[in-house]
Amino acid sequence: MAGTNGVVVVGSGPTGLLLAGDLAEAGVPVTVLEKRPPGISNLTRAFALHARTLEQLDMRGLADELESLGHPMTRLRLFDGLSLDLSGLPTRFPHVLVIPQYEVERVLERRAREAGAEFRYEAEVTSLTQDASGVTVLGRGMEPLRAAYVVGTDGMRSAVREAVGLPFPGRSVIRSVVLADVRLSEDPPDLLTAGTTGDAFALLIPFGDGYHRVVGWHRSHDVPDDAPLDLAEIRDIVRTALGRDYGMRDPRWLSRFHADERQAPAYRVGRVFLAGDAAHVHSPAGGQGMNTGLQDAANLSWKLAAVLQGRAAPPLLDTYDTERHPVGRTVLRSSGALIRLAMAHRPWTKALRSALTTLATNLPALRRRALHQVTGLAYSYGPGLTGKRAPDIPLPNNTRLHEALRTGNFVLLTQTSYENADRPHLTTAQWSGPTTLLIRPDGYIAWTAKSPSPTSLEAALLTHAGPPDHPTRTS
């Protein structure tokens, strides 16, 4: 049985892969358990990386590669002619990147493997037991594993969540959504083509290999997920929503699913954590699902590494739930509002949608707020400047803050030089800004002060980045 100095990640989707890669790069032993056989599936539902997620990936040196594999889109088209222009976003990535989830998984898996993460496939978790020193993981197709912490990133039907006894309250927001991968005889007008009539909506997204993913729904086709589905039904829905079916043909995959709105009441039970769809699921509106999970992982990974390596006390791990649970709740509400507006068919709901479209069109502040929330740029973890997202600040020698964060360290930005030889997990840089900033490894501001004294600076570093010359320990 493995020792208790590492982490077991259950599930090898994007959330689990980012988490495993971060931990492995930090030198934390990590094992990924996946009940599926090895290999990346192209049966993917997620197709979008938003600006804040791309920033997180830039902090890991991965964004430029993913940008080369996807298609940037600078305008989000919603309903009633409402579209949101992303080109003015205050970020290096003023767009949404249209890219299949499997491409994201390939890049994240390669990084995790190269960093030393261990993968075990066809290993299905059935139970967990935890005590003061660690967690024992039991399952089919695997020997018992012992770890300091376990993270469930194993999706909506999470075995980890069930094993710790957490409920998953919520409800289905939309049933019998159809999915299909097809070829098109005619090119759609936009990279991402969407339309809604109230009784139906449809979305066409390119894979880049000659196939398009079709997502569709029709009010009159409310049937169970296992009801038969054929291309004729897909064509009918797309013609209703978009006016034409673009000559769709040669389907390689057809399926139905239902979208739920659910959230676990807590993301932590002792030494066990939940992230991604194991913690929250919501409608696909706005393309926020994969993004929210990846940002869960970015929040949790550095905290686990800091505690396991003795740079922070275990209570730091409580902040994962306090910071990410409210974000998950907000995403549920915003994506739910978008899907309900898209499905509006009663006169009063159509009138509300029209009024909101008018407000968003004519009020730049409202439009900017909605845009920053969907793209993840608006979320923060504290009052004032502390807890806010740090922009990608230019640094000396033609570098940027996101490049400095690729070490996985805290980054200290000061107006004067700072000697940090006794703090190997701190990166320092001089900058010309008005304040001293201490940036967390996930790119949020931990502390700020104007002209701090050496004593106050050392106290802040001790509080956030840990003691100098610390001994490595496990917790």
Side-chain angles (χ1 to χ4, degrees):
M1 188 180 295
T4 59
N5 64 334
V7 177
V8 167
V9 176
V10 183
S12 65
T15 302
L17 292 171
L18 182 72
L19 182 68
D22 283 2
L23 292 170
E25 285 198 339
V28 173
V30 57
T31 301
V32 180
L33 302 179
E34 172 55 59
K35 67 180 180 180
R36 299 174 302 177
I40 302 288
S41 171
N42 71 345
L43 304 183
T44 176
R45 293 179 183 173
F47 272 88
L49 290 176
H50 283 299
R52 184 53 180 162
T53 307
L54 287 165
E55 290 184 341
Q56 292 286 355
L57 293 165
D58 191 26
M59 296 172 203
R60 291 153 176 84
L62 303 174
D64 289 343
E65 179 181 356
L66 289 166
E67 289 267 294
S68 72
L69 298 172
H71 304 277
M73 186 174 67
T74 59
R75 187 170 292 274
L76 282 177
R77 303 184 189 279
L78 300 176
F79 36 71
D80 289 351
L82 176 62
S83 66
L84 300 176
D85 182 6
L86 286 72
S87 62
L89 287 173
T91 173
R92 185 170 176 245
F93 306 99
H95 51 259
V96 58
L97 186 67
V98 178
I99 182 171
Q101 178 178 320
Y102 63 77
E103 295 285 13
V104 180
E105 290 181 355
R106 282 198 184 103
V107 171
L108 292 177
E109 181 180 319
R110 185 195 68 222
R111 169 186 180 244
R113 286 186 182 279
E114 290 176 350
E118 179 184 357
F119 285 78
R120 301 187 187 182
Y121 293 96
E122 298 180 280
E124 183 176 359
V125 172
T126 57
S127 65
L128 305 170
T129 59
Q130 55 177 313
D131 52 42
S133 63
V135 188
T136 301
V137 184
L138 302 174
R140 286 184 286 271
M142 55 176 283
E143 62 181 20
L145 277 177
R146 181 80 173 164
Y149 297 99
V150 170
V151 186
T153 64
D154 50 340
M156 177 179 174
R157 297 174 179 83
S158 170
V160 173
R161 189 185 62 242
E162 183 176 342
V164 296
L166 280 174
F168 207 35
R171 59 174 180 156
S172 293
V173 63
I174 183 172
R175 284 166 40 99
S176 200
V177 178
V178 299
L179 300 175
D181 294 349
V182 301
R183 292 188 181 275
L184 302 179
S185 298
E186 307 169 33
D187 291 332
D190 299 306
L191 177 64
L192 190 152
T193 302
T196 180
T197 64
D199 287 327
F201 67 74
L203 178 67
L204 304 178
I205 314 164
F207 274 96
D209 63 355
Y211 277 85
H212 277 70
R213 167 62 53 83
V214 181
V215 183
W217 172 83
H218 198 291
R219 192 177 303 279
S220 67
H221 296 173
D222 189 4
V223 298
D225 290 353
D226 59 358
L229 175 64
D230 57 26
L231 187 58
E233 181 179 337
I234 303 282
R235 286 183 178 131
D236 179 64
I237 292 173
V238 172
R239 282 194 295 264
T240 301
L242 301 180
R244 59 196 308 171
D245 64 21
Y246 298 97
M248 62 178 58
R249 55 186 171 80
D250 302 333
R252 66 181 178 187
W253 180 65
L254 302 170
S255 182
R256 298 183 194 272
F257 80 99
H258 64 279
D260 285 2
E261 291 176 340
R262 300 183 183 276
Q263 186 178 29
Y267 290 2
R268 181 185 186 185
V269 176
R271 290 176 170 270
V272 179
F273 299 83
L274 301 176
D277 286 355
H280 47 76
V281 294
H282 46 82
S283 92
Q288 299 172 82
M290 176 168 60
N291 293 271
T292 307
L294 288 169
Q295 291 172 50
D296 288 345
N299 183 285
L300 179 58
S301 61
W302 70 269
K303 296 174 181 178
L304 283 169
V307 170
L308 283 166
Q309 295 173 340
R311 290 175 281 111
L316 174 66
L317 297 175
D318 292 332
T319 66
Y320 169 65
D321 183 89
T322 58
E323 292 181 348
R324 292 304 300 173
H325 198 277
V327 173
R329 184 170 60 247
T330 300
V331 172
L332 256 71
R333 291 172 178 170
S334 63
S335 63
L338 284 174
I339 198 68
R340 287 172 175 84
L341 289 171
M343 294 164 57
H345 69 290
R346 294 186 176 91
W348 72 269
T349 53
K350 286 186 174 181
L352 174 61
R353 186 174 72 187
S354 178
L356 290 173
T357 298
T358 300
L359 284 172
T361 301
N362 295 306
L363 295 177
L366 177 63
R367 191 166 61 250
R368 183 168 56 251
R369 179 180 177 182
L371 204 58
H372 281 220
Q373 182 167 304
V374 169
T375 59
L377 297 178
Y379 294 115
S380 63
Y381 300 137
L385 195 58
T386 302
K388 292 290 190 297
R389 157 189 167 266
D392 192 14
I393 298 167
L395 300 178
N397 302 318
N398 294 316
T399 61
R400 303 176 284 114
L401 174 61
H402 289 176
E403 292 174 316
L405 286 165
R406 291 174 185 174
T407 60
N409 294 345
F410 276 80
V411 174
L412 177 67
L413 304 181
T414 65
Q415 296 86 359
T416 58
S417 62
Y418 176 84
E419 177 57 49
N420 69 324
D422 59 349
R423 292 183 184 272
H425 290 279
L426 178 70
T427 300
T428 62
Q430 286 185 252
W431 79 310
S432 58
T435 60
T436 296
L437 296 176
L438 182 63
I439 312 299
R440 300 179 356 176
D442 59 352
Y444 291 85
I445 298 172
W447 176 82
T448 180
K450 189 171 185 178
S451 302
S453 67
T455 300
S456 63
L457 176 56
E458 288 301 322
L461 292 174
L462 179 64
T463 298
H464 297 285
D469 293 327
H470 56 273
T472 299
R473 69 171 184 263
T474 60
S475 298

